[in-house]
Amino acid sequence: MQSSPSRKLVLGSTSVYRRELLARLRLPFIVAAPDVDETPLPGEAPAALARRLALAKARAVADIHPDCIVIGSDQVADLHGQPLGKPRTHDRAVAQLQAMRGQTVIFQTAVAVVCKASSFMQEDLAPVRVQFRDLGDAEIEQYLRAETPYDCAGSAKSEGLGISLLEAIDNDDPTALVGLPLIRTCRMLRAAGLNLWEQAT
């Protein structure tokens, strides 16, 4: 697609983590909150849920900013096929980490890029396999009190103290676990016609 340096970039997310990740690309962008119901559909698999919500968020914001290139993203922790979202509360975070200890969890991180004006739409999934240590109850409690990761799917911040809870991480897009797979995002932005080098500041 021909380069479109005049198109503005919008991050369709209120996540501070995604905002910080996108800022690494040194691209000028604005942030818009997507109005999307994140309730899983009956029987919906975690990967399908993440893909659907990422695209729904991008489309919702693109409806308001039709001339812009819009990024939407979503992450769902996948424990043996069961979705784990953001715990929101301490008790739910405790329950999540207790369920995940000693287990392999796949963090399904989806990203979508939409531009209504050019009829562009792409989405992709960046799964991250994470092996949790066999955590004790006291360790879980200490971690949650220290980092309060109640706005993170799976109740752990791998970019912070949460890395101490893990045995291994296996993925092909290093920032996917934090919430926005930048390799895939850059690929889609180029496909949408955004010249990353011209836009970088």
Side-chain angles (χ1 to χ4, degrees):
M1 183 177 290
Q2 187 176 2
S3 176
S4 302
S6 61
R7 293 211 187 278
K8 293 181 180 179
L9 182 63
V10 182
L11 175 62
S13 173
T14 57
S15 166
V16 64
Y17 312 111
R18 293 191 179 104
R19 191 179 313 169
E20 291 171 351
L21 287 171
L22 187 57
R24 293 185 188 182
L25 301 181
R26 301 185 181 183
L27 298 172
F29 68 92
I30 62 171
V31 173
D35 184 13
V36 171
D37 182 358
E38 299 190 25
T39 305
L41 299 176
E44 190 172 28
L49 173 60
R51 282 182 181 268
R52 178 175 64 82
L53 291 180
L55 189 54
K57 291 175 182 180
R59 282 174 164 167
V61 173
D63 284 341
I64 302 169
H65 301 276
D67 292 323
C68 298
I69 296 172
V70 180
I71 300 170
S73 187
D74 193 77
Q75 184 180 74
V76 180
D78 181 347
L79 178 61
H80 308 313
Q82 295 300 312
L84 300 177
K86 299 171 184 176
R88 303 296 185 188
T89 68
H90 180 81
D91 288 345
R92 289 178 181 172
V94 169
Q96 282 192 357
L97 288 176
Q98 287 176 338
M100 294 188 296
R101 58 186 168 194
Q103 303 296 313
T104 296
V105 180
I106 302 175
F107 284 79
Q108 307 283 8
T109 307
V111 60
V113 173
V114 172
C115 178
K116 288 195 73 174
S118 63
S119 300
F120 180 86
M121 182 179 68
Q122 283 189 7
E123 57 89 18
D124 201 356
L125 188 71
V128 184
R129 296 178 64 86
V130 176
Q131 176 66 42
F132 278 80
R133 293 174 38 246
D134 190 9
L135 306 167
D137 288 345
E139 190 173 11
I140 290 173
E141 187 70 23
Q142 289 169 348
Y143 167 69
L144 292 177
R145 295 297 182 189
E147 198 154 56
T148 61
Y150 307 133
D151 60 345
C152 298
S155 305
K157 294 181 182 179
S158 64
E159 70 275 24
L161 184 58
I163 199 74
S164 67
L165 308 179
L166 310 180
E167 288 284 0
I169 298 173
D170 181 17
N171 74 319
D172 65 357
D173 206 331
T175 58
L177 187 55
V178 183
L180 184 66
L182 287 181
I183 292 175
R184 284 167 172 79
T185 300
C186 287
R187 183 185 305 144
M188 292 184 192
L189 293 178
R190 287 192 297 267
L194 191 68
N195 188 315
L196 274 63
W197 297 110
E198 285 184 6
Q199 294 288 299
T201 57

